[in-house]
């Protein structure tokens, strides 16, 4: 198990319930793969420096997790195909 920091951006026009459901689904990917989520930091709605897919704003979330390779690979796969996720970044933290 390694420590990771994952930052993802959700579409700004999502309703609160849909946003929370999407976040819970993404977090469940990690916990279902025997990982743990240490910290969830919601940065909230921020304006982009440039447009991404005709979007000018996004809802930023940063999570710190401990996960195995399979959990991170599954998060990567499912975040890519989720229409509510604008962008995401997974960074392995140094030990």
């Amino acid at each position: 198990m390694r420590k990771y920091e994952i930052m993802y951006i959700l579409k700004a026009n999502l309703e609160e319930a849909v946003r929370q459901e999407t976040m819970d689904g993404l977090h469940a990917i990690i916990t279902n793969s025997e990982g743990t989520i240490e910290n969830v930091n919601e940065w909230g709605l921020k304006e982009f420096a440039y447009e991404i897919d005709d979007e000018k704003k996004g809802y930023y979330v940063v999570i710190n997790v401990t996960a195995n390779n399979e959990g991170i690979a599954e998060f990567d796969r499912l975040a890519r195909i989720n229409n509510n996720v604008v962008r995401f970044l997974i960074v392995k933290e140094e030990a």
Side-chain angles (χ1 to χ4, degrees):
M1 298 284 235
R2 292 195 170 130
K3 292 189 177 288
Y4 296 89
E5 181 176 85
I6 302 173
M7 189 275 302
Y8 58 90
I9 307 170
L10 301 177
K11 289 185 176 182
N13 59 358
L14 295 177
E15 294 180 16
E16 181 64 33
V18 175
R19 181 185 309 129
Q20 192 61 48
E21 182 181 324
T22 303
M23 289 171 50
D24 291 343
L26 291 171
H27 298 174
I29 297 167
I30 299 296
T31 56
N32 290 344
S33 300
E34 300 174 7
T36 59
I37 298 175
E38 281 87 40
N39 188 27
V40 177
N41 189 359
E42 293 184 38
W43 290 3
L45 204 59
K46 302 276 184 188
E47 195 164 326
F48 296 148
Y50 55 89
E51 283 189 19
I52 302 174
D53 299 331
D54 298 325
E55 300 277 340
K56 295 181 191 291
K57 293 181 180 181
Y59 192 86
Y60 285 71
V61 180
V62 177
I63 58 174
N64 298 92
V65 303
T66 302
N68 55 25
N69 291 340
E70 293 80 21
I72 293 299
E74 185 69 1
F75 184 95
D76 183 33
R77 184 182 78 81
L78 292 175
R80 286 181 194 277
I81 61 175
N82 190 325
N83 291 329
N84 293 332
V85 177
V86 178
R87 290 279 193 277
F88 69 95
L89 179 67
I90 302 171
V91 178
K92 182 171 64 171
E93 294 181 353
E94 293 297 320

